[in-house]
Amino acid sequence: MKEITLSTKATLYQENELPAEYQQLVQEAKHQTNHSYSPYSHFQVGAAALLEDGTIVKGSNQENAAYPSGLCAERTTLFYANSTYPHLAVKAIAIACYTDGAFTPQPGSPCGACRQVMIEFEHLHKQKMAVILYGAEHSVVFESAADLLPMCFFAESLHGGSELI
Ligand code: THU
């Protein structure tokens, strides 16, 4: 038996401390919460993805009366990015959440399925995707989506996987 520790690294920022291109991305994600279709949860999520050529692709959560048919803002955005610009890597994605009349004080945290999708696109383009989680009190930046999902399932897992450590 051997115990291992899986650790991750993130950086906390005040909104005005974020690097300029991330500040812009956060502004876009915040704006996108206005386009959320969330009549059931009333939890409005906006996302903005920065592609490697500088293009910004935006999306929001889209709900449905058949609840599982809805989709999170992150996946709406990334699927749109990859279907419209399949050759461009996503350098960064920002996420903002608005509920009860205000942006959440703490950063919104992507669900497991969205983390999995982010990692797929990181692997596809062999480029890290920074994840910027906006919170009104502070934002958190992960340098890579992989930092949000240790021991994830990815293409190599279908062929025995790669060594953990
Ligand atoms: N949601 C997102 O869009 N992104 C997340 O990371 C977490 C949750 C959405 C899904 C649903 O429309 C609403 O927020 C409540 O779960």
Side-chain angles (χ1 to χ4, degrees), residues 37-38 41 43 45 60-63 71-74 95 109-111 114:
Y37 177 64
S38 43
S41 72
F43 190 74
V45 186
S60 57
N61 57 328
Q62 300 294 312
E63 297 185 350
L71 198 63
C72 294
E74 296 90 323
I95 297 132
S109 199
C111 76
C114 288

Side-chain angles (χ1 to χ4, degrees), residues 7-29:
S7 60
T8 199
K9 194 184 86 176
T11 311
L12 260 63
Y13 290 93
Q14 301 300 312
E15 192 171 357
N16 61 1
E17 289 176 338
L18 282 165
E21 67 176 1
Y22 289 176
Q23 278 192 38
Q24 191 199 343
L25 216 53
V26 162
Q27 287 309 317
E28 300 282 9

